[in-house]
mmCIF file of all heavy atoms in Angstrom:
data_model
loop_
_atom_site.group_PDB
_atom_site.id
_atom_site.type_symbol
_atom_site.label_atom_id
_atom_site.label_comp_id
_atom_site.label_asym_id
_atom_site.label_seq_id
_atom_site.Cartn_x
_atom_site.Cartn_y
_atom_site.Cartn_z
ATOM 1 N N PHE A 1 186.556 -12.351 -95.039
ATOM 2 C CA PHE A 1 186.162 -13.028 -93.785
ATOM 3 C C PHE A 1 186.168 -12.096 -92.598
ATOM 4 O O PHE A 1 185.333 -12.225 -91.728
ATOM 5 C CB PHE A 1 187.059 -14.198 -93.546
ATOM 6 C CG PHE A 1 186.749 -15.011 -92.318
ATOM 7 C CD1 PHE A 1 185.791 -15.977 -92.384
ATOM 8 C CD2 PHE A 1 187.433 -14.784 -91.137
ATOM 9 C CE1 PHE A 1 185.484 -16.707 -91.252
ATOM 10 C CE2 PHE A 1 187.124 -15.477 -89.960
ATOM 11 C CZ PHE A 1 186.101 -16.476 -90.035
ATOM 12 N N LYS A 2 187.146 -11.224 -92.552
ATOM 13 C CA LYS A 2 187.199 -10.264 -91.399
ATOM 14 C C LYS A 2 186.026 -9.300 -91.413
ATOM 15 O O LYS A 2 185.509 -8.904 -90.347
ATOM 16 C CB LYS A 2 188.495 -9.479 -91.411
ATOM 17 C CG LYS A 2 189.697 -10.305 -91.139
ATOM 18 C CD LYS A 2 190.967 -9.427 -91.089
ATOM 19 C CE LYS A 2 192.210 -10.233 -90.886
ATOM 20 N NZ LYS A 2 192.677 -10.880 -92.108
ATOM 21 N N GLU A 3 185.504 -8.950 -92.634
ATOM 22 C CA GLU A 3 184.412 -8.100 -92.752
ATOM 23 C C GLU A 3 183.088 -8.771 -92.438
ATOM 24 O O GLU A 3 182.167 -8.361 -91.756
ATOM 25 C CB GLU A 3 184.357 -7.489 -94.149
ATOM 26 C CG GLU A 3 185.459 -6.532 -94.454
ATOM 27 C CD GLU A 3 185.387 -5.291 -93.657
ATOM 28 O OE1 GLU A 3 184.292 -4.878 -93.301
ATOM 29 O OE2 GLU A 3 186.431 -4.647 -93.424
ATOM 30 N N CYS A 4 182.944 -10.056 -92.960
ATOM 31 C CA CYS A 4 181.695 -10.783 -92.829
ATOM 32 C C CYS A 4 182.003 -12.275 -92.823
ATOM 33 O O CYS A 4 182.192 -12.856 -93.876
ATOM 34 C CB CYS A 4 180.714 -10.405 -93.979
ATOM 35 S SG CYS A 4 179.146 -11.271 -93.816
ATOM 36 N N PRO A 5 181.983 -12.947 -91.680
ATOM 37 C CA PRO A 5 182.317 -14.367 -91.628
ATOM 38 C C PRO A 5 181.266 -15.304 -92.260
ATOM 39 O O PRO A 5 181.560 -16.388 -92.611
ATOM 40 C CB PRO A 5 182.451 -14.625 -90.106
ATOM 41 C CG PRO A 5 182.644 -13.330 -89.495
ATOM 42 C CD PRO A 5 181.873 -12.407 -90.332
ATOM 43 N N HIS A 6 180.003 -14.766 -92.385
ATOM 44 C CA HIS A 6 178.920 -15.550 -92.935
ATOM 45 C C HIS A 6 178.397 -14.868 -94.198
ATOM 46 O O HIS A 6 177.731 -13.815 -94.109
ATOM 47 C CB HIS A 6 177.761 -15.711 -91.890
ATOM 48 C CG HIS A 6 178.155 -16.387 -90.690
ATOM 49 N ND1 HIS A 6 178.084 -17.783 -90.537
ATOM 50 C CD2 HIS A 6 178.679 -15.913 -89.472
ATOM 51 C CE1 HIS A 6 178.543 -18.119 -89.289
ATOM 52 N NE2 HIS A 6 178.912 -17.074 -88.690
ATOM 53 N N LEU A 7 178.704 -15.451 -95.356
ATOM 54 C CA LEU A 7 178.291 -14.834 -96.622
ATOM 55 C C LEU A 7 176.900 -15.331 -97.025
ATOM 56 O O LEU A 7 176.621 -16.578 -96.800
ATOM 57 C CB LEU A 7 179.312 -15.126 -97.703
ATOM 58 C CG LEU A 7 180.705 -14.633 -97.510
ATOM 59 C CD1 LEU A 7 181.558 -14.877 -98.738
ATOM 60 C CD2 LEU A 7 180.736 -13.125 -97.237
ATOM 61 N N ASP A 8 176.183 -14.554 -97.670
ATOM 62 C CA ASP A 8 174.908 -14.995 -98.306
ATOM 63 C C ASP A 8 175.190 -15.492 -99.715
ATOM 64 O O ASP A 8 176.310 -15.369 -100.210
ATOM 65 C CB ASP A 8 173.806 -13.977 -98.275
ATOM 66 C CG ASP A 8 174.249 -12.650 -98.888
ATOM 67 O OD1 ASP A 8 175.096 -12.729 -99.804
ATOM 68 O OD2 ASP A 8 173.744 -11.558 -98.552
ATOM 69 N N GLU A 9 174.179 -15.997 -100.411
ATOM 70 C CA GLU A 9 174.380 -16.591 -101.684
ATOM 71 C C GLU A 9 174.832 -15.541 -102.715
ATOM 72 O O GLU A 9 175.749 -15.763 -103.514
ATOM 73 C CB GLU A 9 173.033 -17.185 -102.218
ATOM 74 C CG GLU A 9 173.157 -17.926 -103.553
ATOM 75 C CD GLU A 9 174.035 -19.176 -103.406
ATOM 76 O OE1 GLU A 9 174.078 -19.718 -102.258
ATOM 77 O OE2 GLU A 9 174.580 -19.610 -104.412
ATOM 78 N N LYS A 10 174.371 -14.309 -102.633
ATOM 79 C CA LYS A 10 174.739 -13.262 -103.577
ATOM 80 C C LYS A 10 176.149 -12.889 -103.356
ATOM 81 O O LYS A 10 176.933 -12.680 -104.322
ATOM 82 C CB LYS A 10 173.837 -12.054 -103.320
ATOM 83 C CG LYS A 10 174.158 -10.824 -104.225
ATOM 84 C CD LYS A 10 173.187 -9.638 -103.890
ATOM 85 C CE LYS A 10 173.568 -8.544 -104.835
ATOM 86 N NZ LYS A 10 172.679 -7.289 -104.528
ATOM 87 N N GLN A 11 176.625 -12.800 -102.086
ATOM 88 C CA GLN A 11 178.002 -12.415 -101.816
ATOM 89 C C GLN A 11 178.981 -13.513 -102.322
ATOM 90 O O GLN A 11 180.047 -13.240 -102.763
ATOM 91 C CB GLN A 11 178.189 -12.148 -100.311
ATOM 92 C CG GLN A 11 177.505 -10.927 -99.857
ATOM 93 C CD GLN A 11 177.522 -10.768 -98.319
ATOM 94 O OE1 GLN A 11 177.307 -11.778 -97.582
ATOM 95 N NE2 GLN A 11 177.764 -9.560 -97.826
ATOM 96 N N ARG A 12 178.577 -14.845 -102.120
ATOM 97 C CA ARG A 12 179.385 -15.908 -102.569
ATOM 98 C C ARG A 12 179.599 -15.903 -104.100
ATOM 99 O O ARG A 12 180.673 -16.076 -104.607
ATOM 100 C CB ARG A 12 178.845 -17.247 -102.154
ATOM 101 C CG ARG A 12 179.126 -17.633 -100.693
ATOM 102 C CD ARG A 12 178.935 -19.092 -100.450
ATOM 103 N NE ARG A 12 177.570 -19.515 -100.614
ATOM 104 C CZ ARG A 12 176.600 -19.553 -99.596
ATOM 105 N NH1 ARG A 12 176.991 -19.152 -98.385
ATOM 106 N NH2 ARG A 12 175.383 -19.901 -99.822
ATOM 107 N N LEU A 13 178.454 -15.605 -104.797
ATOM 108 C CA LEU A 13 178.566 -15.562 -106.278
ATOM 109 C C LEU A 13 179.472 -14.417 -106.774
ATOM 110 O O LEU A 13 180.263 -14.607 -107.625
ATOM 111 C CB LEU A 13 177.163 -15.390 -106.860
ATOM 112 C CG LEU A 13 176.247 -16.645 -106.727
ATOM 113 C CD1 LEU A 13 174.819 -16.275 -107.206
ATOM 114 C CD2 LEU A 13 176.785 -17.857 -107.594
ATOM 115 N N GLN A 14 179.372 -13.280 -106.080
ATOM 116 C CA GLN A 14 180.170 -12.190 -106.476
ATOM 117 C C GLN A 14 181.647 -12.474 -106.248
ATOM 118 O O GLN A 14 182.474 -12.109 -107.038
ATOM 119 C CB GLN A 14 179.725 -10.923 -105.668
ATOM 120 C CG GLN A 14 180.543 -9.672 -106.013
ATOM 121 C CD GLN A 14 180.062 -8.522 -105.242
ATOM 122 O OE1 GLN A 14 179.048 -8.523 -104.494
ATOM 123 N NE2 GLN A 14 180.677 -7.325 -105.421
ATOM 124 N N LEU A 15 181.896 -13.057 -105.059
ATOM 125 C CA LEU A 15 183.329 -13.373 -104.740
ATOM 126 C C LEU A 15 183.848 -14.449 -105.660
ATOM 127 O O LEU A 15 185.097 -14.437 -105.991
ATOM 128 C CB LEU A 15 183.415 -13.788 -103.250
ATOM 129 C CG LEU A 15 184.799 -13.936 -102.620
ATOM 130 C CD1 LEU A 15 185.565 -12.570 -102.749
ATOM 131 C CD2 LEU A 15 184.695 -14.345 -101.168
ATOM 132 N N SER A 16 183.035 -15.388 -106.008
ATOM 133 C CA SER A 16 183.532 -16.460 -106.891
ATOM 134 C C SER A 16 183.879 -15.915 -108.314
ATOM 135 O O SER A 16 184.856 -16.356 -108.876
ATOM 136 C CB SER A 16 182.419 -17.580 -107.035
ATOM 137 O OG SER A 16 181.364 -17.074 -107.769
ATOM 138 N N ARG A 17 183.069 -14.994 -108.797
ATOM 139 C CA ARG A 17 183.413 -14.371 -110.045
ATOM 140 C C ARG A 17 184.711 -13.572 -109.984
ATOM 141 O O ARG A 17 185.511 -13.517 -110.913
ATOM 142 C CB ARG A 17 182.268 -13.506 -110.522
ATOM 143 C CG ARG A 17 181.102 -14.262 -111.008
ATOM 144 C CD ARG A 17 180.074 -13.382 -111.730
ATOM 145 N NE ARG A 17 179.518 -12.283 -110.838
ATOM 146 C CZ ARG A 17 178.396 -12.428 -110.120
ATOM 147 N NH1 ARG A 17 177.692 -13.521 -110.228
ATOM 148 N NH2 ARG A 17 177.955 -11.440 -109.357
ATOM 149 N N GLU A 18 184.879 -12.894 -108.800
ATOM 150 C CA GLU A 18 186.086 -12.065 -108.698
ATOM 151 C C GLU A 18 187.332 -12.890 -108.570
ATOM 152 O O GLU A 18 188.429 -12.534 -109.139
ATOM 153 C CB GLU A 18 185.963 -11.221 -107.378
ATOM 154 C CG GLU A 18 187.140 -10.324 -107.108
ATOM 155 C CD GLU A 18 186.963 -9.608 -105.784
ATOM 156 O OE1 GLU A 18 185.822 -9.500 -105.235
ATOM 157 O OE2 GLU A 18 187.979 -9.083 -105.232
ATOM 158 N N LEU A 19 187.333 -14.097 -107.902
ATOM 159 C CA LEU A 19 188.510 -14.854 -107.682
ATOM 160 C C LEU A 19 188.657 -16.009 -108.642
ATOM 161 O O LEU A 19 189.642 -16.831 -108.552
ATOM 162 C CB LEU A 19 188.518 -15.363 -106.229
ATOM 163 C CG LEU A 19 188.483 -14.258 -105.144
ATOM 164 C CD1 LEU A 19 188.517 -14.946 -103.711
ATOM 165 C CD2 LEU A 19 189.753 -13.353 -105.306
ATOM 166 N N GLY A 20 187.652 -16.326 -109.471
ATOM 167 C CA GLY A 20 187.702 -17.425 -110.394
ATOM 168 C C GLY A 20 187.531 -18.770 -109.688
ATOM 169 O O GLY A 20 188.117 -19.769 -110.138
ATOM 170 N N LEU A 21 186.797 -18.823 -108.552
ATOM 171 C CA LEU A 21 186.551 -20.000 -107.812
ATOM 172 C C LEU A 21 185.095 -20.382 -107.940
ATOM 173 O O LEU A 21 184.250 -19.462 -108.130
ATOM 174 C CB LEU A 21 186.976 -19.847 -106.348
ATOM 175 C CG LEU A 21 188.405 -19.577 -106.116
ATOM 176 C CD1 LEU A 21 188.673 -19.285 -104.612
ATOM 177 C CD2 LEU A 21 189.311 -20.765 -106.555
ATOM 178 N N ALA A 22 184.782 -21.618 -107.689
ATOM 179 C CA ALA A 22 183.368 -21.983 -107.663
ATOM 180 C C ALA A 22 182.707 -21.574 -106.342
ATOM 181 O O ALA A 22 183.354 -21.517 -105.343
ATOM 182 C CB ALA A 22 183.283 -23.528 -107.822
ATOM 183 N N PRO A 23 181.379 -21.244 -106.447
ATOM 184 C CA PRO A 23 180.703 -20.839 -105.153
ATOM 185 C C PRO A 23 180.854 -21.967 -104.076
ATOM 186 O O PRO A 23 180.881 -21.579 -102.922
ATOM 187 C CB PRO A 23 179.270 -20.659 -105.612
ATOM 188 C CG PRO A 23 179.333 -20.348 -107.084
ATOM 189 C CD PRO A 23 180.505 -21.148 -107.595
ATOM 190 N N ARG A 24 180.881 -23.215 -104.497
ATOM 191 C CA ARG A 24 180.994 -24.263 -103.555
ATOM 192 C C ARG A 24 182.355 -24.212 -102.834
ATOM 193 O O ARG A 24 182.439 -24.518 -101.600
ATOM 194 C CB ARG A 24 180.822 -25.647 -104.242
ATOM 195 C CG ARG A 24 180.876 -26.847 -103.319
ATOM 196 C CD ARG A 24 180.647 -28.102 -104.181
ATOM 197 N NE ARG A 24 180.594 -29.307 -103.344
ATOM 198 C CZ ARG A 24 179.497 -29.774 -102.787
ATOM 199 N NH1 ARG A 24 178.366 -29.111 -102.912
ATOM 200 N NH2 ARG A 24 179.521 -30.849 -102.061
ATOM 201 N N GLN A 25 183.418 -23.881 -103.582
ATOM 202 C CA GLN A 25 184.735 -23.739 -102.969
ATOM 203 C C GLN A 25 184.750 -22.557 -101.971
ATOM 204 O O GLN A 25 185.339 -22.656 -100.882
ATOM 205 C CB GLN A 25 185.767 -23.428 -104.041
ATOM 206 C CG GLN A 25 186.104 -24.654 -104.954
ATOM 207 C CD GLN A 25 187.034 -24.314 -106.045
ATOM 208 O OE1 GLN A 25 186.731 -23.486 -106.903
ATOM 209 N NE2 GLN A 25 188.201 -24.904 -105.991
ATOM 210 N N ILE A 26 184.083 -21.470 -102.307
ATOM 211 C CA ILE A 26 183.957 -20.336 -101.417
ATOM 212 C C ILE A 26 183.274 -20.697 -100.138
ATOM 213 O O ILE A 26 183.685 -20.424 -99.017
ATOM 214 C CB ILE A 26 183.229 -19.123 -102.096
ATOM 215 C CG1 ILE A 26 183.901 -18.711 -103.347
ATOM 216 C CG2 ILE A 26 183.026 -17.982 -101.128
ATOM 217 C CD1 ILE A 26 185.228 -18.002 -103.127
ATOM 218 N N LYS A 27 182.134 -21.436 -100.316
ATOM 219 C CA LYS A 27 181.381 -21.877 -99.112
ATOM 220 C C LYS A 27 182.224 -22.744 -98.203
ATOM 221 O O LYS A 27 182.272 -22.549 -96.937
ATOM 222 C CB LYS A 27 180.140 -22.652 -99.597
ATOM 223 C CG LYS A 27 179.313 -23.190 -98.482
ATOM 224 C CD LYS A 27 178.061 -23.924 -99.022
ATOM 225 C CE LYS A 27 177.213 -24.558 -97.951
ATOM 226 N NZ LYS A 27 176.050 -25.211 -98.420
ATOM 227 N N PHE A 28 182.987 -23.743 -98.760
ATOM 228 C CA PHE A 28 183.718 -24.671 -97.941
ATOM 229 C C PHE A 28 184.927 -23.906 -97.327
ATOM 230 O O PHE A 28 185.253 -24.197 -96.138
ATOM 231 C CB PHE A 28 184.262 -25.831 -98.774
ATOM 232 C CG PHE A 28 183.161 -26.801 -99.179
ATOM 233 C CD1 PHE A 28 183.321 -27.671 -100.242
ATOM 234 C CD2 PHE A 28 182.067 -26.880 -98.408
ATOM 235 C CE1 PHE A 28 182.347 -28.551 -100.670
ATOM 236 C CE2 PHE A 28 181.034 -27.813 -98.755
ATOM 237 C CZ PHE A 28 181.216 -28.653 -99.844
ATOM 238 N N TRP A 29 185.467 -22.959 -97.986
ATOM 239 C CA TRP A 29 186.632 -22.192 -97.441
ATOM 240 C C TRP A 29 186.204 -21.463 -96.194
ATOM 241 O O TRP A 29 186.842 -21.465 -95.146
ATOM 242 C CB TRP A 29 187.208 -21.234 -98.451
ATOM 243 C CG TRP A 29 188.529 -20.652 -97.966
ATOM 244 C CD1 TRP A 29 189.761 -21.061 -98.185
ATOM 245 C CD2 TRP A 29 188.584 -19.419 -97.132
ATOM 246 N NE1 TRP A 29 190.722 -20.255 -97.537
ATOM 247 C CE2 TRP A 29 189.959 -19.210 -96.892
ATOM 248 C CE3 TRP A 29 187.731 -18.614 -96.633
ATOM 249 C CZ2 TRP A 29 190.461 -18.201 -96.138
ATOM 250 C CZ3 TRP A 29 188.154 -17.520 -95.816
ATOM 251 C CH2 TRP A 29 189.563 -17.336 -95.623
ATOM 252 N N PHE A 30 184.998 -20.803 -96.252
ATOM 253 C CA PHE A 30 184.485 -20.043 -95.134
ATOM 254 C C PHE A 30 184.097 -20.933 -93.986
ATOM 255 O O PHE A 30 184.348 -20.585 -92.827
ATOM 256 C CB PHE A 30 183.302 -19.186 -95.572
ATOM 257 C CG PHE A 30 183.675 -17.776 -96.097
ATOM 258 C CD1 PHE A 30 184.242 -17.652 -97.379
ATOM 259 C CD2 PHE A 30 183.545 -16.694 -95.281
ATOM 260 C CE1 PHE A 30 184.630 -16.396 -97.793
ATOM 261 C CE2 PHE A 30 183.942 -15.428 -95.719
ATOM 262 C CZ PHE A 30 184.450 -15.287 -96.963
ATOM 263 N N GLN A 31 183.536 -22.126 -94.288
ATOM 264 C CA GLN A 31 183.220 -23.074 -93.211
ATOM 265 C C GLN A 31 184.483 -23.557 -92.508
ATOM 266 O O GLN A 31 184.553 -23.532 -91.267
ATOM 267 C CB GLN A 31 182.497 -24.287 -93.765
ATOM 268 C CG GLN A 31 181.052 -23.989 -94.257
ATOM 269 C CD GLN A 31 180.422 -25.217 -94.881
ATOM 270 O OE1 GLN A 31 181.067 -26.241 -95.134
ATOM 271 N NE2 GLN A 31 179.126 -25.150 -95.075
ATOM 272 N N ASN A 32 185.512 -23.862 -93.270
ATOM 273 C CA ASN A 32 186.779 -24.270 -92.666
ATOM 274 C C ASN A 32 187.394 -23.143 -91.873
ATOM 275 O O ASN A 32 187.987 -23.410 -90.780
ATOM 276 C CB ASN A 32 187.728 -24.743 -93.735
ATOM 277 C CG ASN A 32 187.271 -26.035 -94.436
ATOM 278 O OD1 ASN A 32 186.499 -26.777 -93.869
ATOM 279 N ND2 ASN A 32 187.686 -26.243 -95.662
ATOM 280 N N ARG A 33 187.272 -21.922 -92.378
ATOM 281 C CA ARG A 33 187.988 -20.828 -91.644
ATOM 282 C C ARG A 33 187.225 -20.490 -90.340
ATOM 283 O O ARG A 33 187.833 -20.235 -89.289
ATOM 284 C CB ARG A 33 187.897 -19.544 -92.510
ATOM 285 C CG ARG A 33 188.705 -18.375 -91.975
ATOM 286 C CD ARG A 33 190.156 -18.710 -92.012
ATOM 287 N NE ARG A 33 190.934 -17.602 -91.393
ATOM 288 C CZ ARG A 33 191.211 -17.406 -90.107
ATOM 289 N NH1 ARG A 33 190.787 -18.303 -89.221
ATOM 290 N NH2 ARG A 33 191.941 -16.440 -89.715
ATOM 291 N N ARG A 34 185.881 -20.669 -90.324
ATOM 292 C CA ARG A 34 185.153 -20.455 -89.122
ATOM 293 C C ARG A 34 185.512 -21.561 -88.088
ATOM 294 O O ARG A 34 185.608 -21.297 -86.867
ATOM 295 C CB ARG A 34 183.626 -20.460 -89.397
ATOM 296 C CG ARG A 34 183.139 -19.180 -90.102
ATOM 297 C CD ARG A 34 181.642 -19.063 -90.027
ATOM 298 N NE ARG A 34 180.991 -20.155 -90.773
ATOM 299 C CZ ARG A 34 180.635 -20.085 -92.019
ATOM 300 N NH1 ARG A 34 180.885 -18.997 -92.694
ATOM 301 N NH2 ARG A 34 179.968 -21.144 -92.576
ATOM 302 N N THR A 35 185.606 -22.767 -88.594
ATOM 303 C CA THR A 35 185.971 -23.874 -87.683
ATOM 304 C C THR A 35 187.421 -23.653 -87.078
ATOM 305 O O THR A 35 187.618 -23.921 -85.914
ATOM 306 C CB THR A 35 185.930 -25.210 -88.509
ATOM 307 O OG1 THR A 35 184.633 -25.419 -89.004
ATOM 308 C CG2 THR A 35 186.332 -26.356 -87.531
ATOM 309 N N GLN A 36 188.307 -23.182 -87.955
ATOM 310 C CA GLN A 36 189.616 -22.917 -87.514
ATOM 311 C C GLN A 36 189.667 -21.766 -86.430
ATOM 312 O O GLN A 36 190.314 -21.871 -85.416
ATOM 313 C CB GLN A 36 190.528 -22.493 -88.653
ATOM 314 C CG GLN A 36 191.909 -22.202 -88.297
ATOM 315 C CD GLN A 36 192.746 -21.661 -89.482
ATOM 316 O OE1 GLN A 36 192.134 -21.268 -90.470
ATOM 317 N NE2 GLN A 36 194.044 -21.662 -89.350
ATOM 318 N N MET A 37 188.835 -20.717 -86.670
ATOM 319 C CA MET A 37 188.774 -19.624 -85.651
ATOM 320 C C MET A 37 188.221 -20.117 -84.339
ATOM 321 O O MET A 37 188.701 -19.745 -83.278
ATOM 322 C CB MET A 37 187.924 -18.519 -86.256
ATOM 323 C CG MET A 37 187.714 -17.315 -85.315
ATOM 324 S SD MET A 37 189.241 -16.410 -84.997
ATOM 325 C CE MET A 37 189.379 -15.519 -86.493
ATOM 326 N N LYS A 38 187.210 -20.932 -84.444
ATOM 327 C CA LYS A 38 186.572 -21.459 -83.206
ATOM 328 C C LYS A 38 187.561 -22.270 -82.408
ATOM 329 O O LYS A 38 187.637 -22.216 -81.237
ATOM 330 C CB LYS A 38 185.377 -22.286 -83.582
ATOM 331 C CG LYS A 38 184.569 -22.857 -82.372
ATOM 332 C CD LYS A 38 183.388 -23.616 -82.795
ATOM 333 C CE LYS A 38 182.639 -24.246 -81.532
ATOM 334 N NZ LYS A 38 181.481 -25.027 -81.978
ATOM 335 N N GLY A 39 188.348 -23.120 -83.195
ATOM 336 C CA GLY A 39 189.362 -23.946 -82.515
ATOM 337 C C GLY A 39 190.435 -23.082 -81.847
ATOM 338 O O GLY A 39 190.907 -23.369 -80.732
ATOM 339 N N GLN A 40 190.828 -21.983 -82.547
ATOM 340 C CA GLN A 40 191.824 -21.088 -81.941
ATOM 341 C C GLN A 40 191.321 -20.460 -80.646
ATOM 342 O O GLN A 40 192.031 -20.370 -79.586
ATOM 343 C CB GLN A 40 192.197 -20.018 -82.935
ATOM 344 C CG GLN A 40 193.037 -20.488 -84.050
ATOM 345 C CD GLN A 40 193.272 -19.420 -85.122
ATOM 346 O OE1 GLN A 40 192.508 -18.405 -85.179
ATOM 347 N NE2 GLN A 40 194.308 -19.631 -86.003
ATOM 348 N N LEU A 41 190.091 -20.025 -80.717
ATOM 349 C CA LEU A 41 189.516 -19.394 -79.457
ATOM 350 C C LEU A 41 189.384 -20.444 -78.342
ATOM 351 O O LEU A 41 189.616 -20.182 -77.194
ATOM 352 C CB LEU A 41 188.116 -18.818 -79.815
ATOM 353 C CG LEU A 41 188.122 -17.552 -80.645
ATOM 354 C CD1 LEU A 41 186.709 -17.149 -81.058
ATOM 355 C CD2 LEU A 41 188.842 -16.404 -79.991
ATOM 356 N N GLU A 42 188.932 -21.605 -78.660
ATOM 357 C CA GLU A 42 188.740 -22.619 -77.662
ATOM 358 C C GLU A 42 190.056 -23.043 -77.059
ATOM 359 O O GLU A 42 190.226 -23.208 -75.773
ATOM 360 C CB GLU A 42 188.063 -23.894 -78.216
ATOM 361 C CG GLU A 42 186.598 -23.664 -78.548
ATOM 362 C CD GLU A 42 186.012 -24.913 -79.192
ATOM 363 O OE1 GLU A 42 186.705 -25.831 -79.516
ATOM 364 O OE2 GLU A 42 184.711 -24.922 -79.271
ATOM 365 N N ARG A 43 191.170 -23.169 -77.871
ATOM 366 C CA ARG A 43 192.473 -23.466 -77.355
ATOM 367 C C ARG A 43 193.010 -22.383 -76.433
ATOM 368 O O ARG A 43 193.581 -22.606 -75.401
ATOM 369 C CB ARG A 43 193.456 -23.784 -78.456
ATOM 370 C CG ARG A 43 193.252 -25.078 -79.138
ATOM 371 C CD ARG A 43 194.386 -25.464 -80.063
ATOM 372 N NE ARG A 43 194.475 -24.539 -81.160
ATOM 373 C CZ ARG A 43 193.878 -24.669 -82.327
ATOM 374 N NH1 ARG A 43 193.062 -25.726 -82.527
ATOM 375 N NH2 ARG A 43 194.052 -23.809 -83.283
ATOM 376 N N ALA A 44 192.756 -21.081 -76.875
ATOM 377 C CA ALA A 44 193.209 -19.994 -76.028
ATOM 378 C C ALA A 44 192.441 -19.951 -74.747
ATOM 379 O O ALA A 44 193.034 -19.713 -73.644
ATOM 380 C CB ALA A 44 193.017 -18.675 -76.803
#
């Protein structure tokens, strides 16, 4: 996430194979992390 907050389809598939997670799980995790980061910045 620190390297690239927005993954493309190829990157999601590669990361899912590496971690044993479904691409959909990878997608939702990154969406939640971006929302969390945005909330932190807005609160600050």
Side-chain angles (χ1 to χ4, degrees):
F1 181 81
K2 293 186 183 78
E3 293 292 332
C4 181
H6 298 272
L7 298 184
D8 56 27
E9 188 65 27
K10 180 180 178 181
Q11 291 171 317
R12 279 198 296 269
L13 289 174
Q14 181 180 356
L15 191 57
S16 69
R17 287 193 296 268
E18 178 183 346
L19 300 179
L21 298 173
R24 186 180 181 84
Q25 290 177 295
I26 300 291
K27 178 180 179 181
F28 287 158
W29 189 94
F30 270 77
Q31 287 178 349
N32 294 336
R33 189 67 181 87
R34 288 195 296 269
T35 303
Q36 182 186 13
M37 177 67 75
K38 182 179 179 182
Q40 289 175 340
L41 289 174
E42 288 178 350
R43 286 192 295 272

